[in-house]
Amino acid sequence: MGVNEAAMNEEDKAALLEKDRNYLWHHISPHNENPMVVVSGEGSWLTDMDGNRYFDGMSGMWCVNVGHGRVEIAEAAAEQMKTVAYATLIQSHVPAIELAAKLNEWLIGDYRFFFSNSGSDANEVAFKIGRQYHHQRGKGSKYKYISRHRAYHGNSMGALSATGQAQRKLKYEPLGVGFSHVPPPYCYRCPFGQTKGSCKMQCAQAYEDAILWEGADSVAGIIVEPVITGGGMIVPPDPYLARLRKICDKHDVLLIVDEVICGFGRSGEKFGHQNFGVRPDIVTMAKGLTSAYSPLSATAVSAEMYESFKESGADNHFRHVNTFGGNPVSCAVALKNIEIIERENLVSRSAYIGKELFSRIKPLESHQYVGELRIFGSAIGIELVEDKRTKEPASAARVAAIIAECKQKGLLISKNGDTVPGFMNILTLSPPLSTTDDEIVFIAETLLQVFGV
Ligand code: PLP
């Protein structure tokens, strides 16, 4: 870990930490007496208040796709603030119009875009639009959503209901009505006892069974990430998503694809589902949309669905408003962010980073505590076990020690934290798509050293 001269003096640090302790509520963690206080970021690197530099191996929270310190994004935001900082989307404004058109081009489709602030918001909007759509075509009985165990879809009550992670729900239940879950397409621990490559994809069939058992007339839609990312980098067999598309078509059920993490190049394509040749009815996106320089999310809805909202009638428009959603500054930031991704070919760079990194860390597979390495674009999962034969998940202490040692060597990585009790044993990496060749070597060498391989 490099140390620069930008460290704060001891007095300022102590004062900051005291205010942190007294006033700040940290996300998804018990209060840490000595949190890492980030003071600056440049490229793929973050600097803390002690002047320590760390490679941001998770792009923040799977979101800073273009890397830190992009002055042109800051300038685009400032320019937009000077022009008009706020206008509602009850009317319209130039950055939202341009962004919607650009996103439609990226989705290679015919979609309408509803802007909100976060991935959770985008999924809430998808659930509401899906229910209303069915109502407006005389199928009001279709209200249920089916998702997968292990998947995360957000923190709000609807999105959390769709989430299949017991630990994220603990003490917050009961949640929304009409949400149920099917087993994930988890080849390493196949819930159907099958072997990778020689199964009948019972994991996809489970979706059809669930639709039938619930009653297809009661099911509005299913929601999936192209791969389950934060829930443990669970990568389905290639034909899985296309099979789900067919099942949805057969039963008049909407296919909602959550691209909050997989979108904006992370998968090696512009959107994760494009790897599998399917066209979703609804696509939700956030994080990499602005590379997290400003909060923004979008729910892309197929033009066919949108048509039903145009019909006259007092309640046929979508009665949902969001003060900050699609504000001009965030839209301008998103447009600049997408311009950078295109100009620097960061989508194909993502695929390259993933392949290069994966081949360099391949020797980890022989390590006694590594059960499986998994990859999707430039997102990587390392499933740790206590015993390769029994696949007993690695203990929390072992997982924490590896993450801490990586940090000590200047590499920030993460894990599927607070997901499923006893199964929080998957290390995750998701580096900025601007990561250089030297930095790929740094990540790989650090991991190999930490594992002693
Ligand atoms: N969907 C997925 C797949 C996510 O990973 C997340 C957040 O990590 C969300 C939705 C929720 O996004 P947000 O935290 O912006 O509400």
Side-chain angles (χ1 to χ4, degrees), residues 233-262:
M233 279 304 297
I234 296 172
V235 183
D238 265 359
Y240 175 82
L241 201 55
R243 180 93 167 265
L244 296 190
R245 175 71 274 179
K246 281 204 183 108
I247 293 168
C248 287
D249 289 343
K250 188 168 156 196
H251 298 288
D252 192 18
V253 161
L254 299 170
L255 174 63
I256 304 172
V257 176
D258 178 337
E259 293 274 1
V260 168
I261 285 181
C262 295

Side-chain angles (χ1 to χ4, degrees), residues 43-334:
S44 299
W45 296 81
L46 292 171
T47 301
D48 72 8
M49 66 178 181
D50 293 310
N52 300 313
R53 290 180 73 239
Y54 298 93
F55 183 88
D56 186 5
M58 280 304 295
S59 301
M61 237 186 246
W62 317 76
C63 53
V64 189
N65 290 16
V66 298
H68 300 275
R70 295 281 192 168
V71 173
E72 58 184 310
I73 297 185
E75 285 169 353
E79 204 47 53
Q80 185 58 49
M81 281 185 191
K82 286 188 268 178
T83 307
V84 56
Y86 184 74
T88 77
L89 279 179
I90 296 170
Q91 286 95 27
S92 199
H93 57 72
V94 179
I97 297 169
E98 296 294 355
L99 181 59
K102 187 68 189 174
L103 291 173
N104 190 53
E105 183 191 315
W106 267 47
L107 277 174
I108 325 166
D110 197 1
Y111 289 93
R112 299 290 180 276
F113 295 83
F114 193 98
F115 290 116
S116 313
N117 303 305
S118 68
S120 305
D121 285 351
N123 286 333
E124 295 294 340
V125 166
F127 298 142
K128 286 175 76 174
I129 286 180
R131 284 184 179 170
Q132 190 175 343
Y133 163 71
H134 286 303
H135 261 287
Q136 283 165 193
R137 14 183 330 255
K139 297 196 172 183
S141 64
K142 287 171 92 63
Y143 71 94
K144 295 177 187 167
Y145 288 99
I146 306 175
S147 51
R148 279 100 47 98
H149 286 292
R150 306 280 309 223
Y152 181 67
H153 294 294
N155 56 18
S156 48
M157 293 308 239
L160 194 57
S161 307
T163 292
Q165 302 176 346
Q167 199 113 2
R168 296 272 168 124
K169 301 185 186 191
L170 192 66
K171 302 186 191 178
Y172 310 126
E173 288 170 303
L175 298 170
V177 172
F179 291 85
S180 61
H181 302 85
V182 294
Y186 194 177
C187 300
Y188 180 66
R189 297 179 189 276
C190 178
F192 305 94
Q194 303 297 304
T195 310
K196 195 173 184 171
S198 63
C199 69
K200 295 204 169 74
M201 264 205 314
Q202 285 87 338
C203 48
Q205 186 54 40
Y207 249 127
E208 182 160 33
D209 294 345
I211 290 169
L212 293 172
W213 290 339
E214 291 290 334
D217 283 349
S218 72
V219 180
I222 70 172
I223 180 165
V224 291
E225 283 186 274
V227 312
I228 294 177
T229 49
M233 279 304 297
I234 296 172
V235 183
D238 265 359
Y240 175 82
L241 201 55
R243 180 93 167 265
L244 296 190
R245 175 71 274 179
K246 281 204 183 108
I247 293 168
C248 287
D249 289 343
K250 188 168 156 196
H251 298 288
D252 192 18
V253 161
L254 299 170
L255 174 63
I256 304 172
V257 176
D258 178 337
E259 293 274 1
V260 168
I261 285 181
C262 295
F264 299 94
R266 178 58 63 198
S267 74
E269 292 289 345
K270 291 185 172 84
F271 289 98
H273 66 269
Q274 292 168 345
N275 291 272
F276 305 108
V278 297
R279 185 175 183 273
D281 299 301
I282 300 183
V283 181
T284 60
M285 57 193 85
K287 297 193 190 259
L289 168 57
T290 58
S291 284
Y293 277 70
S294 187
L296 183 67
S297 65
T299 307
V301 181
S302 75
E304 299 100 272
M305 288 183 69
Y306 180 72
E307 284 307 305
S308 82
F309 287 78
K310 278 190 186 156
E311 282 161 24
S312 59
D315 302 322
N316 282 356
H317 58 288
F318 185 43
R319 280 156 292 106
H320 185 98
V321 66
N322 188 317
T323 306
F324 300 125
N327 78 79
V329 177
S330 290
C331 291
V333 164

